[in-house]
CSV table of all heavy atoms in Angstrom, one decimal:
chain,number,residue,atom,x,y,z
S,160,ALA,N,19.6,-3.5,44.9
S,160,ALA,CA,21.0,-3.9,44.6
S,160,ALA,C,22.0,-3.5,45.7
S,160,ALA,O,23.0,-4.2,46.0
S,160,ALA,CB,21.4,-3.2,43.3
S,161,LYS,N,21.7,-2.4,46.4
S,161,LYS,CA,22.5,-2.0,47.5
S,161,LYS,C,22.2,-2.7,48.8
S,161,LYS,O,23.1,-2.8,49.7
S,161,LYS,CB,22.4,-0.5,47.8
S,161,LYS,CG,22.9,0.4,46.6
S,161,LYS,CD,22.8,1.9,47.0
S,161,LYS,CE,23.5,2.7,45.9
S,161,LYS,NZ,23.4,4.2,46.2
S,162,ASP,N,21.0,-3.2,48.9
S,162,ASP,CA,20.6,-4.0,50.1
S,162,ASP,C,19.9,-5.3,49.7
S,162,ASP,O,18.7,-5.4,49.8
S,162,ASP,CB,19.7,-3.1,51.0
S,162,ASP,CG,19.3,-3.8,52.3
S,162,ASP,OD1,19.9,-4.8,52.7
S,162,ASP,OD2,18.3,-3.3,52.9
S,163,ARG,N,20.7,-6.2,49.3
S,163,ARG,CA,20.2,-7.5,48.8
S,163,ARG,C,19.6,-8.3,49.9
S,163,ARG,O,18.7,-9.2,49.7
S,163,ARG,CB,21.3,-8.3,48.1
S,163,ARG,CG,21.6,-7.6,46.7
S,163,ARG,CD,22.9,-8.2,46.1
S,163,ARG,NE,22.9,-9.6,46.0
S,163,ARG,CZ,23.9,-10.4,45.7
S,163,ARG,NH1,25.1,-9.8,45.5
S,163,ARG,NH2,23.8,-11.7,45.7
S,164,ALA,N,20.0,-8.1,51.2
S,164,ALA,CA,19.4,-8.8,52.3
S,164,ALA,C,18.0,-8.3,52.6
S,164,ALA,O,17.1,-9.0,53.0
S,164,ALA,CB,20.2,-8.7,53.5
S,165,GLY,N,17.8,-7.0,52.3
S,165,GLY,CA,16.4,-6.4,52.3
S,165,GLY,C,16.0,-5.8,53.6
S,165,GLY,O,16.6,-6.1,54.7
S,166,SER,N,15.0,-5.0,53.6
S,166,SER,CA,14.3,-4.4,54.8
S,166,SER,C,13.0,-5.0,54.9
S,166,SER,O,12.2,-5.1,53.9
S,166,SER,CB,14.3,-2.9,54.6
S,166,SER,OG,15.6,-2.3,54.4
S,167,LYS,N,12.6,-5.3,56.2
S,167,LYS,CA,11.3,-6.0,56.4
S,167,LYS,C,10.3,-5.0,57.0
S,167,LYS,O,10.7,-4.1,57.9
S,167,LYS,CB,11.5,-7.2,57.3
S,167,LYS,CG,12.3,-8.3,56.8
S,167,LYS,CD,12.4,-9.5,57.7
S,167,LYS,CE,13.3,-10.6,57.2
S,167,LYS,NZ,14.7,-10.2,57.3
S,168,TYR,N,9.1,-5.1,56.6
S,168,TYR,CA,8.0,-4.3,57.2
S,168,TYR,C,6.8,-5.2,57.5
S,168,TYR,O,6.3,-5.9,56.7
S,168,TYR,CB,7.6,-3.2,56.2
S,168,TYR,CG,8.7,-2.3,55.8
S,168,TYR,CD1,9.5,-2.5,54.6
S,168,TYR,CD2,9.0,-1.1,56.5
S,168,TYR,CE1,10.5,-1.7,54.2
S,168,TYR,CE2,10.0,-0.2,56.1
S,168,TYR,CZ,10.7,-0.6,55.0
S,168,TYR,OH,11.8,0.3,54.6
S,169,LYS,N,6.4,-5.0,58.8
S,169,LYS,CA,5.2,-5.8,59.2
S,169,LYS,C,4.0,-5.3,58.5
S,169,LYS,O,3.8,-4.1,58.2
S,169,LYS,CB,5.0,-5.6,60.7
S,169,LYS,CG,3.9,-6.5,61.3
S,169,LYS,CD,3.8,-6.3,62.8
S,169,LYS,CE,2.6,-7.0,63.3
S,169,LYS,NZ,2.4,-6.8,64.8
S,170,LEU,N,3.1,-6.3,58.1
S,170,LEU,CA,1.9,-5.9,57.3
S,170,LEU,C,0.6,-6.0,58.1
S,170,LEU,O,-0.3,-5.2,57.9
S,170,LEU,CB,1.8,-6.9,56.1
S,170,LEU,CG,2.8,-6.7,55.0
S,170,LEU,CD1,2.6,-7.7,53.9
S,170,LEU,CD2,2.8,-5.2,54.4
S,171,LYS,N,0.5,-6.9,59.0
S,171,LYS,CA,-0.8,-7.1,59.7
S,171,LYS,C,-1.2,-5.9,60.5
S,171,LYS,O,-0.5,-5.4,61.4
S,171,LYS,CB,-0.7,-8.3,60.7
S,171,LYS,CG,-2.1,-8.6,61.3
S,171,LYS,CD,-2.0,-9.9,62.2
S,171,LYS,CE,-3.4,-10.2,62.8
S,171,LYS,NZ,-3.3,-11.4,63.7
S,172,GLU,N,-2.4,-5.3,60.1
S,172,GLU,CA,-2.9,-4.1,60.8
S,172,GLU,C,-1.9,-3.0,60.8
S,172,GLU,O,-1.9,-2.2,61.8
S,172,GLU,CB,-3.4,-4.4,62.2
S,172,GLU,CG,-4.5,-5.5,62.2
S,172,GLU,CD,-5.0,-5.8,63.6
S,172,GLU,OE1,-4.4,-5.3,64.6
S,172,GLU,OE2,-5.9,-6.6,63.8
S,173,ASN,N,-1.1,-2.9,59.8
S,173,ASN,CA,-0.1,-1.8,59.8
S,173,ASN,C,-0.1,-1.0,58.5
S,173,ASN,O,0.8,-0.3,58.2
S,173,ASN,CB,1.3,-2.5,59.9
S,173,ASN,CG,2.4,-1.5,60.2
S,173,ASN,OD1,2.2,-0.6,60.9
S,173,ASN,ND2,3.6,-1.7,59.6
S,174,ILE,N,-1.2,-1.1,57.7
S,174,ILE,CA,-1.3,-0.2,56.5
S,174,ILE,C,-2.3,0.8,56.7
S,174,ILE,O,-3.5,0.6,57.1
S,174,ILE,CB,-1.7,-1.1,55.3
S,174,ILE,CG1,-0.5,-2.1,55.0
S,174,ILE,CG2,-1.9,-0.2,54.1
S,174,ILE,CD1,-0.8,-3.0,53.9
Side-chain angles (χ1 to χ4, degrees):
K161 290 185 177 180
D162 181 16
R163 287 167 52 191
S166 300
K167 298 183 183 71
Y168 300 92
K169 184 180 176 182
L170 290 178
K171 185 177 180 180
E172 298 179 356
N173 192 36
I174 295 177

